[in-house]
Amino acid sequence: MGGGLRYIGVAERRARLGLRHRLAGAARAAGPVEVAESLVALHGTDPATVYLAVGARLAEPASTVARTERALYEDRALVRMHGMRHTVFVFPTELTAVVHASTGLAVAARERATLVKHMAAAGAPDAAWLAEVEESTLAALARRGPATAAELAEDEPRLRERFVYGAGKSYEGVHTVSTRLLRVLGVEGKVVRGRPLGSWTSSQFRWAVAPAHPGLDVSGAQAELLRRWLAVCGPATEADLKWWTGWRVTEVRRALAAIGAQAVSLDEGTGFVLDGDVGPVAGPTEPWAALLPALDPTAMGWQRREWYLAPELWPSLFDRSGNVGPTVWWDGRVVGGWAQRGDGEIVWRLLEDLGAVERRAVQAAVAVEAERLRGWVGAARVTPRFRTPLERELSA
């Protein structure tokens, strides 16, 4: 198989996942920054995902919320910003320059051009006007410190201007300049999302001036991002890499060559690992269970997921846009899903057809994880932003 390339099978891939994604018991992390560094990025579109993903990987999760908030909003060791595929992630602050150069610059140019185009089509003010509003908004944010869009509009009223998007189309709507402009500034690396207005589960947030970072060479930044990701998620195929980064295939191949990635054979074809990472990997000493949140970076880590998520489970665990819901894991594969009910109870269901002995072991281990999760979540109630069939059913 693979023309002489070393074959890495499903069992070894699952072993790598359990250790490198901080899910196996002995591999769990000491703190939120360590989790983010280990995973490269945490999905930040749904604010609760960040905390739930961290808590699932901490050896001692009791203070997950307080420690994660401190890392995000006091120590600034973590930053929530736009990254790959137009998506909001939480990154270690040291990685912001790499993310911006490797993925943000190209996306930002398209985002600004699209905004100007939409405003022009609606008869709204032009790019020069937009540049004035941008400069004034950034100055206001620097004076105020972290602020909401509404607060910034007190200093720069033109942020309240509205324009019609897609006039006459089925998707016609009215957009506010503040909403679109702040998104563009986020993708451009000028602003980042700050502390939410409510609790850690809130999707309403303040904006903050982005931390200063040096400009990097695009090719070098892409090589560095790919190197970090393969260290966590290798082996992976070209298709996986293209999907996760959002780059063109030529950029993926250039970065693979730059870091000297080595080819291996996988069930779905040729994959890649870092130079020196071809050899066998010893797995965790004990089977492990985990309850991972919707949009968790492990569940969403690869485009091809058959090696850890059976296709027959997808209709229950994904929404129509391809967003994964809360998942139950056992020793490197998804075996079910979970939800939180209104009274705080963590409920779950196994979807895989397991043998009697394994089923009892899984049930016992998952029950422990469910109590562990309920213990640190406390009085908070978590409803995923993108709801899936099984999560809706279990939480009802």
Side-chain angles (χ1 to χ4, degrees):
M1 183 178 291
L5 300 178
R6 178 174 182 261
Y7 170 65
I8 298 181
V10 168
E12 185 176 337
R13 297 183 77 178
R14 291 174 177 175
R16 288 171 178 247
L17 181 153
L19 295 173
R20 298 179 183 185
H21 287 237
R22 300 288 190 169
L23 293 169
R28 285 178 172 164
V33 177
E34 187 178 355
V35 172
E37 289 173 343
S38 297
L39 294 172
V40 182
L42 304 171
H43 274 265
T45 306
D46 186 335
T49 292
V50 176
Y51 295 84
L52 293 169
V54 167
R57 294 169 169 87
L58 292 184
E60 300 293 339
S63 58
T64 294
V65 173
R67 296 169 71 190
T68 304
E69 286 186 332
R70 185 167 66 246
L72 279 165
Y73 309 122
E74 296 174 24
D75 300 339
R76 292 290 180 180
L78 300 177
V79 176
R80 180 182 278 112
M81 61 180 280
H82 282 89
M84 300 73 66
R85 307 186 311 279
H86 298 240
T87 301
V88 176
F89 290 90
V90 167
F91 299 97
T93 302
E94 65 180 30
L95 200 58
T96 56
V98 169
V99 174
H100 181 60
S102 65
T103 66
L105 291 174
V107 173
R110 294 196 297 270
E111 286 284 325
R112 182 171 288 273
T114 299
L115 174 55
V116 171
K117 177 182 176 181
H118 288 168
M119 291 180 66
D126 60 14
W129 178 90
L130 190 66
E132 288 182 8
V133 177
E134 173 188 341
E135 183 179 356
S136 175
T137 299
L138 290 174
L141 192 59
R143 288 193 304 271
R144 279 180 172 267
T148 65
E151 290 169 338
L152 291 171
E154 294 174 6
D155 295 337
E156 176 42 88
R158 289 175 291 183
L159 286 171
R160 300 192 186 102
E161 292 280 342
R162 297 185 171 195
F163 62 94
V164 177
Y165 166 66
K169 307 290 186 181
S170 61
Y171 50 83
E172 177 181 328
V174 177
H175 286 194
T176 304
V177 168
S178 63
T179 302
R180 294 291 300 273
L181 178 59
L182 287 167
R183 174 180 170 81
V184 169
L185 296 179
V187 177
E188 290 178 339
K190 297 175 181 176
V191 300
V192 296
R193 301 192 184 206
R195 187 183 291 275
L197 296 182
S199 73
W200 58 276
T201 64
S202 174
S203 59
Q204 294 182 304
F205 53 86
R206 299 170 177 85
W207 291 96
V209 175
H213 57 72
L216 300 178
D217 168 72
V218 172
S219 296
Q222 289 179 334
E224 176 61 14
L225 186 65
L226 199 67
R227 183 190 67 77
R228 291 189 183 223
W229 190 80
L230 273 184
V232 179
C233 294
T237 65
E238 262 188 13
D240 291 328
L241 297 166
K242 182 178 181 295
W243 174 80
W244 189 83
T245 59
W247 302 340
R248 299 186 300 273
V249 68
T250 53
E251 294 175 298
V252 169
R253 289 173 179 170
R254 182 180 64 200
L256 285 170
I259 64 174
Q262 295 184 263
V264 295
S265 175
L266 306 175
D267 288 332
E268 61 267 42
T270 300
F272 295 91
V273 296
L274 290 182
D275 184 24
D277 194 28
V278 175
V281 172
T285 56
E286 298 289 340
W288 54 270
L291 301 183
L292 300 187
L295 295 177
D296 186 86
T298 299
M300 295 289 289
W302 297 263
Q303 185 184 49
R304 293 289 301 271
R305 300 166 183 156
E306 295 89 342
W307 60 275
Y308 65 88
L309 206 167
E312 57 266 27
L313 274 56
W314 296 2
S316 297
L317 297 175
F318 287 82
D319 71 5
R320 293 181 179 178
S321 298
N323 300 301
V324 72
T327 48
V328 175
W329 289 68
W330 174 248
D331 213 20
R333 71 188 194 274
V334 175
V335 295
W338 66 274
Q340 184 189 38
R341 290 185 174 155
D343 62 359
E345 181 185 5
I346 304 298
V347 291
W348 45 277
R349 180 182 299 165
L350 299 181
L351 299 176
E352 274 211 357
D353 185 16
L354 305 170
V357 174
E358 185 178 28
R359 189 175 188 85
R360 286 195 295 271
V362 173
Q363 288 174 328
V366 173
V368 170
E369 290 304 308
E371 281 303 306
R372 185 174 182 264
L373 174 59
R374 182 169 185 174
W376 74 258
V377 166
R381 297 294 175 264
V382 180
T383 301
R385 180 173 176 181
F386 305 105
R387 306 196 69 183
T388 53
L390 182 61
E391 186 277 327
R392 286 181 180 276
E393 181 184 346
L394 290 174
S395 62

